[in-house]
Amino acid sequence: MEERLQKFLANQGICSRRKAEAYILDGKVKVNGQVVNKLGIKIDPEIDKIEFNNKQISNSINKVYILLNKPIGYVTTVKDQFNRPTVIDLLKKEHKSVVPVGRLDMYTSGALILSNDGDFVYKVTHPKHEINKTYQVTTKGKITKEEVEKLKNGVELDDGYITKPAKVKILKIDEEKNISRVQIVIHEGKNRQVRRMCEAIGKKVLALHRSKIGNIDVKDLKLGEWKYLNVVKGDVLF
């Protein structure tokens, strides 16, 4: 059965579908020995020989879904141009073909899903699915009810974007240490969004942890630990 070349690359765990499009345009993909550098090409995985960076891609794959409790200090990427440790370094050698599903910045810990199933990655990261992400935030200073209401209703970020309504709950205010702990639930995925939301109400984030993605949490995983998810049995998300 024919399918688009970028979808095939994503389904084989090479990269995300968007990244596959970039690789194709950069001339890094061959079909039957010929470089393909335009989008829209369809291939038949049972017949055509597909190469990426001059290495043939198998048309069979064992799909893997992993939940990682990401520690601080790891970047959410497969490879890093500055040779910083990546989340892939925390996995077994045989799982080096997975890619992160979404992102957490280097200084944020918590729930991160990785997979080599391109369709799954595309589905989970598409904005229309509005999957909730739950964060535990520690801020400097006492957060007020008025500031919480602003976060709930949506705040203007530094680039002018106004966030969608969020679920916000005060967990603890420690006046002696001059900090507040807040739970924030959002379904958007703007770059560093929770940090920027807090900055918009004048609060500096001291610590940030994503405790849940959809219905999945990392409460049983220590930082740096991971486990398999069973997507077939509904062990994810919606």
Side-chain angles (χ1 to χ4, degrees), residues 31 34 50 80 97 114 148 156 161 181 183-184 224 227:
V31 177
Q34 300 296 315
I50 315 299
D80 182 64
S97 65
L114 302 100
V148 167
E156 184 174 344
Y161 178 81
R181 290 194 66 239
Q183 178 177 283
I184 299 178
K227 68 178 181 180

Side-chain angles (χ1 to χ4, degrees), residues 76-77 87 99-104 112-114 121 124-125 210:
T76 306
T77 186
V87 291
V99 298
V101 183
R103 287 185 175 272
L104 282 179
L112 180 70
I113 295 173
L114 302 100
V121 174
V124 172
T125 55
R210 184 161 70 189

Side-chain angles (χ1 to χ4, degrees), residues 200-217:
I201 62 167
K203 288 290 181 286
K204 180 180 179 181
V205 173
L206 301 177
L208 182 58
H209 177 78
R210 184 161 70 189
S211 57
K212 293 178 67 175
I213 303 174
N215 298 316
I216 296 176
D217 63 54

